[in-house]
Amino acid sequence: QQQQPQISPPSSPPPPRAAVPPRQVIDDATDKDALITQLRRDLATSQQERQQQQHEWDRRRREHEDIVAQLQQASAELREAHAKDHQQVAQLRVEVERRDATISQLQQANGRLQQSDAQSRQQVAQLQRAHAEWQQAQAQLESQLTVALRDKDELSAQLIIVQQR
């Protein structure tokens, strides 16, 4: 069995003491004046942080008071607006009833128009069929007229020949 060589940890300061902040550990060799100076710095920093926190709390309290005052004002305005809204709702109900009656009348008139439109479409279809039949009859008559005129021309020519003999 080979023994592993023991590796000593790198030189580091001893674990922090309870009264000394962990961010700056002072080892045992440091003199007491440095420790006292550091503690005074830490105390001053802590007091400064506490003052800043107090200022922040005061600022937030003032903001909160402002918000509460704004909310109370908004609440009064909302109550006033709510009363006006009730009046408008009553007026709107009357207007809606009138509009509903008008819509009902318009729907009835629309039904009559649709019925009339359907009848008109049927009449248009009948007229289109009659027009197509008329065009077909006209074409037949024109064809018969053309044949009749050709026959007449032929007969006239034959008559002239017969008369000349």
Side-chain angles (χ1 to χ4, degrees), residues 108-126:
Q108 291 171 0
N110 187 42
R112 291 189 297 270
L113 284 174
Q114 287 177 345
Q115 189 176 18
S116 174
D117 184 52
Q119 290 171 352
S120 294
R121 288 177 193 266
Q122 288 175 347
Q123 290 172 350
V124 166
Q126 290 172 350

Side-chain angles (χ1 to χ4, degrees), residues 92-143:
L92 288 174
R93 282 188 181 139
V94 171
E95 189 175 327
V96 165
E97 288 173 3
R98 281 190 218 139
R99 286 185 182 175
D100 285 346
T102 302
I103 287 171
S104 177
Q105 292 169 353
L106 288 173
Q107 287 173 337
Q108 291 171 0
N110 187 42
R112 291 189 297 270
L113 284 174
Q114 287 177 345
Q115 189 176 18
S116 174
D117 184 52
Q119 290 171 352
S120 294
R121 288 177 193 266
Q122 288 175 347
Q123 290 172 350
V124 166
Q126 290 172 350
L127 286 173
Q128 286 174 337
R129 283 193 297 273
H131 182 67
E133 291 171 1
W134 177 82
Q135 285 179 327
Q136 187 177 10
Q138 183 182 8
Q140 288 175 350
L141 285 175
E142 286 175 359
S143 175

Side-chain angles (χ1 to χ4, degrees), residues 8-115:
S8 60
S11 63
S12 62
R17 297 181 185 166
V20 180
R23 65 184 184 279
Q24 293 185 346
V25 178
I26 301 173
D27 68 8
D28 290 336
T30 307
D31 65 356
K32 292 179 184 175
D33 288 339
L35 178 59
I36 290 171
T37 302
Q38 182 63 41
L39 288 173
R40 284 183 179 151
R41 280 188 204 136
D42 291 346
L43 178 61
T45 301
S46 175
Q47 287 174 340
Q48 187 178 9
E49 289 173 353
R50 191 166 21 120
Q51 285 177 348
Q52 288 174 348
Q53 190 176 33
Q54 184 65 42
H55 288 311
E56 177 66 18
W57 287 341
D58 290 344
R59 184 186 65 79
R60 287 184 181 179
R61 181 183 45 77
R62 285 190 302 274
E63 286 177 356
H64 176 72
E65 289 169 353
D66 289 345
I67 290 171
V68 167
Q70 290 171 4
L71 287 174
Q72 289 172 341
Q73 176 66 28
S75 177
E77 291 170 1
L78 280 175
R79 281 192 296 275
E80 185 179 327
H82 187 66
K84 289 179 183 177
D85 287 347
H86 273 297
Q87 290 175 335
Q88 289 177 345
V89 165
Q91 292 170 348
L92 288 174
R93 282 188 181 139
V94 171
E95 189 175 327
V96 165
E97 288 173 3
R98 281 190 218 139
R99 286 185 182 175
D100 285 346
T102 302
I103 287 171
S104 177
Q105 292 169 353
L106 288 173
Q107 287 173 337
Q108 291 171 0
N110 187 42
R112 291 189 297 270
L113 284 174
Q114 287 177 345
Q115 189 176 18

